[in-house]
Amino acid sequence: MKPLIIVSGLGRTGYKIYQLLKQQGAEVVGLSDRTLVVQEDDRIIVGDLCSPQVLIEAGIKEATTIVLASNDDALNIAILTQAKTLNPKIRIVNRLYNQTLGQRLDYTVTDHLTMSVARLAAPIFAFSALGSKTIGHLRLFEQTWSLHEEIIDSNHPWYGVSLSHLWENLEQMLIYYLPKIGEMDLVTGVKTEQKLQVGDHLIVAHKTKFKRKSRFLWKQWFKFFFNLSTYKQYVRPVIMVTLILIILIALASIIYLMVNWNISPVDALYFSVGMITGAGGKEEVAESAPDGIKIFTAVMMIIGAGIVGIFYALLNDFVLGSRFKQFLDAARVATVNHYVVCGLGNVGMEVIRELKQQGHDIVVIESDHSNRFLHSVRSLGIPIILEDATLAETLQSAHIEGANGIIVVTSNDMVNVEIALTAKALMPKLPVVLRIQDNQFTESVQDVFQFENVFSPSELATYSFAAAALGGRILGNGMTDDLLWVAIATLITPNHPFCGKIVENIAPDGDFVPLYIAREDKNIHGWNLLTTELKNQDVLYLTVPATKLKQLWQSNSNQILQIIY
């Protein structure tokens, strides 16, 4: 009997997860709070998602997993509590925007897995901006690997190349092999030196290449001064008032010297500063002067009070307000070889972290001055331009003409399209990565406007949710010809069916591809991986079709197979 999976919250993302699980042959029930247009074989219950009666009707007491796919964190938490009350052993796959809360739930709630649409989609946005046609990503060796699908044709550089030759390259990792003719697993193909033919599909993971950032101090100062003139609007009022104040002080000092040559220039300057600023000092300079100079002094006191007041107000706003931060951000904007990120939401923040981790220069454009991620971005040393990205002047201030690409990820689809069109009008050849929420709109936008990469975060994340629902902590996943495969890590124990077995002997039977083995303080991969005998406490990282994960459930019921969390 197949394990039962419940998908709660059949919105755009939830229903896609439900359909993917059905496609992979899982026994799945959907819960929706509204009536849907469904297929004949769909098992969907409509009702209050938090209701115990609705959960019981869906089979919560017998289910192995429930996927909380609503975009409302509070609703997902409420369903979680009800589900755990009715079935304490059920496994929870929870979609949460609040990742801090999710980490705490993973730590405190048994069999709870938090997943974030933003975190799952961000690497694909980042890799696409770097010019890579990425279909997914993996987390291996404590870093992100980009996934690519190679479809072999007669002009492909790998046409006629043996899989064993590609297996030897440790800078890339073979993930899955789907031959055009017949059936053959990847390990068997490697062992028999199978050559790639026209129509073969091969999924390959490439190691992320980190960019070394320049540490030359003079370059940083050059960039700072180069941008001062561009962003002079931030300091122009302060500079103008300061100049007026200096001119007034100089004018008063000269007049006092001309009237009374017996005073020194220093005394005249001292009195002028004190008189205009209101601090006082050396009053005898004016007391012994003619009446005209006394009237002049009184007028200068009044004018000085106003000018000094304006000066202090502007200086206070510039330094203590947000303008000083804006000025510093603007002055640090890169001029060439950087990436412009428009929109500082959950997806934007994750994209920034990914690009920053790889060592790239980034400029962020955000229109909301109270955005909750502003401090986080500035703490990473990344400049922020707090302006409207739909305006050509704003994009020009980000030096879009020297950028390597622009990533537009605000939460408004129409704003994203407008920003992308503005960027293309300024720089027609600039690579654009665009976020669109509606998947149908995604396809039409890409076709009509010919943008390089248009993605829906929820669409990208649904495969990971479906894979996670089928079992284990998912390190990565992908789709090849309607086949969903996942990458997982499994702990080898004395009772594990793989314990004591040679990897190349068990891989074909299990239809999995071994990636590497973590053994104590070392990793085993390449040809050594295939000939290694699995031992107790080894961690085997592998990819396997999602349809094969039900075999893991059967073993897991007796605690034979353990998935790493």
Side-chain angles (χ1 to χ4, degrees):
M1 181 178 178
K2 296 179 180 178
L4 175 63
I5 302 173
I6 299 174
V7 180
S8 176
L10 298 186
R12 189 162 44 230
T13 302
Y15 189 68
K16 182 64 180 294
I17 295 169
Y18 172 84
Q19 290 290 348
L20 280 172
L21 290 170
K22 267 184 57 181
Q23 181 182 331
Q24 302 307 311
E27 183 178 355
V28 57
V29 175
L31 297 181
S32 176
D33 58 357
R34 69 201 69 179
T35 304
L36 302 174
V37 178
V38 299
Q39 301 175 3
E40 291 184 4
D41 59 342
D42 280 342
R43 295 177 58 191
I44 294 177
I45 298 171
V46 179
D48 183 358
L49 301 181
C50 298
S51 169
Q53 290 76 21
V54 172
L55 291 171
I56 291 172
E57 183 182 354
I60 191 71
K61 294 184 177 181
E62 299 80 29
T64 59
T65 304
I66 181 170
V67 181
L68 307 180
S70 167
N71 59 3
D72 185 340
D73 284 5
L75 177 59
N76 288 340
I77 298 298
I79 301 170
L80 181 155
T81 57
Q82 287 289 354
K84 278 293 185 180
T85 301
L86 296 171
N87 183 355
K89 295 183 179 180
I90 195 167
R91 182 167 174 268
I92 308 288
V93 178
N94 198 351
R95 175 188 179 183
L96 290 177
Y97 285 94
N98 190 332
Q99 297 179 29
T100 303
L101 173 62
Q103 291 172 357
R104 293 171 182 167
L105 288 173
D106 289 344
Y107 181 76
T108 57
V109 179
T110 305
D111 291 330
H112 183 277
L113 173 61
T114 298
M115 300 187 74
S116 163
V117 170
R119 180 166 290 182
L120 292 168
I124 298 178
F125 278 86
F127 286 129
S128 298
L130 297 175
S132 172
K133 296 295 182 181
T134 304
I135 64 169
H137 64 281
L138 291 177
R139 286 292 299 177
L140 300 172
F141 300 112
E142 299 301 322
Q143 71 177 79
T144 304
W145 295 56
S146 60
L147 295 178
H148 307 264
E149 181 177 14
E150 302 289 346
I151 302 176
I152 308 301
D153 57 31
S154 58
N155 296 320
H156 197 285
W158 290 354
Y159 173 63
V161 176
S162 66
L163 290 172
S164 59
H165 176 74
L166 298 175
W167 185 265
E168 295 172 353
N169 186 354
L170 299 183
E171 292 299 314
Q172 63 188 23
M173 194 171 291
L174 303 186
I175 302 299
Y176 204 78
Y177 171 57
L178 192 65
K180 174 68 173 179
I181 302 175
E183 294 183 1
M184 179 180 293
D185 64 276
L186 180 59
V187 173
T188 300
V190 170
K191 290 171 60 179
T192 60
E193 299 187 357
Q194 174 72 14
K195 293 184 177 182
L196 292 172
Q197 304 297 324
V198 174
D200 288 353
H201 290 240
L202 189 65
I203 305 297
V204 183
H206 293 280
K207 185 184 295 185
T208 302
K209 295 182 180 179
F210 294 91
K211 179 182 178 182
R212 296 185 62 183
K213 298 195 70 174
S214 172
R215 296 182 180 272
F216 293 114
L217 185 60
W218 68 268
K219 289 188 176 181
Q220 302 298 323
W221 280 106
F222 176 78
K223 183 169 64 176
F224 181 87
F225 287 110
F226 180 83
N227 286 316
L228 286 180
S229 59
T230 307
Y231 299 100
K232 56 182 177 291
Q233 68 267 26
Y234 292 119
V235 292
R236 182 185 296 163
V238 177
I239 293 174
M240 290 297 296
V241 173
T242 303
L243 288 175
I244 293 173
L245 194 59
I246 292 172
I247 292 171
L248 286 176
I249 293 172
L251 178 63
S253 300
I254 293 171
I255 290 177
Y256 290 130
L257 283 173
M258 292 175 63
V259 172
N260 187 355
W261 292 100
N262 294 322
I263 63 172
S264 68
V266 174
D267 287 341
L269 176 64
Y270 182 73
F271 173 70
S272 298
V273 172
M275 177 262 299
I276 291 176
T277 61
K282 284 287 182 182
E283 284 80 2
E284 61 270 18
V285 172
E287 289 176 353
S288 60
D291 291 341
I293 294 300
K294 292 180 179 179
I295 294 173
F296 169 76
T297 301
V299 172
M300 291 299 291
M301 285 180 178
I302 296 172
I303 295 175
I307 296 296
V308 169
I310 295 172
F311 174 77
Y312 283 146
L314 289 174
L315 190 63
N316 180 71
D317 177 65
F318 183 75
V319 176
L320 300 181
S322 62
R323 293 187 181 276
F324 186 63
K325 291 180 180 179
Q326 293 177 41
F327 170 72
L328 290 180
D329 282 338
R332 292 186 290 112
V333 170
T335 55
V336 293
N337 298 328
H338 59 286
Y339 292 89
V340 180
V341 178
C342 302
L344 196 52
N346 287 313
V347 175
M349 190 66 214
E350 292 298 330
V351 171
I352 290 166
R353 288 195 180 107
E354 189 69 38
L355 291 172
K356 180 69 175 178
Q357 184 182 14
Q358 297 181 34
H360 296 282
D361 286 327
I362 308 163
V363 178
V364 176
I365 302 177
E366 169 59 42
S367 60
D368 183 4
H369 289 239
S370 60
N371 186 285
R372 62 193 179 106
F373 290 119
L374 292 179
H375 177 72
S376 298
V377 172
R378 287 194 173 112
S379 67
L380 295 173
I382 298 171
I384 305 173
I385 299 175
L386 290 170
E387 300 289 349
D388 185 356
T390 62
L391 302 177
E393 294 80 5
T394 303
L395 296 179
Q396 288 170 338
S397 68
H399 297 297
I400 195 173
E401 69 280 358
N404 289 337
I406 182 171
I407 306 170
V408 188
V409 286
T410 77
S411 58
N412 188 312
D413 286 356
M414 296 312 300
V415 170
N416 289 344
V417 172
E418 185 177 357
I419 294 172
L421 290 173
T422 304
K424 280 294 188 182
L426 293 173
M427 295 294 296
K429 295 184 179 180
L430 181 72
V432 173
V433 181
L434 188 63
R435 170 189 178 179
I436 297 293
Q437 296 283 33
D438 190 335
N439 187 49
Q440 293 181 343
F441 189 39
T442 298
E443 297 176 359
S444 59
V445 165
Q446 189 163 16
D447 290 341
V448 172
F449 299 114
Q450 297 296 305
F451 294 135
E452 288 79 1
N453 297 284
V454 183
F455 299 117
S456 167
S458 57
E459 178 75 11
L460 295 174
T462 51
Y463 301 106
S464 295
F465 278 93
L470 292 169
R473 172 79 68 175
I474 304 304
L475 304 173
N477 59 85
M479 289 285 292
T480 306
D481 283 355
D482 294 329
L483 174 67
L484 175 65
W485 55 266
V486 297
I488 61 173
T490 177
L491 176 67
I492 306 299
T493 62
N495 295 325
H496 196 293
F498 295 168
C499 189
K501 303 289 182 63
I502 304 297
V503 173
E504 64 181 359
N505 294 335
I506 57 176
D509 294 335
D511 195 19
F512 70 83
V513 177
L515 302 178
Y516 70 98
I517 296 171
R519 174 175 293 176
E520 297 178 349
D521 59 346
K522 65 179 181 179
N523 297 319
I524 304 172
H525 44 79
W527 286 107
N528 293 333
L529 169 65
L530 297 180
T531 57
T532 297
E533 179 182 326
L534 292 168
K535 297 180 180 180
N536 183 32
Q537 296 304 306
D538 283 351
V539 178
L540 174 62
Y541 292 78
L542 56 91
T543 58
V544 62
T547 53
K548 301 291 183 179
L549 283 173
K550 59 188 177 184
Q551 300 174 1
L552 308 187
W553 279 316
Q554 296 168 356
S555 300
N556 202 31
S557 61
N558 297 319
Q559 296 184 348
I560 293 176
L561 185 63
Q562 300 183 32
I563 304 295
I564 298 298
Y565 285 89

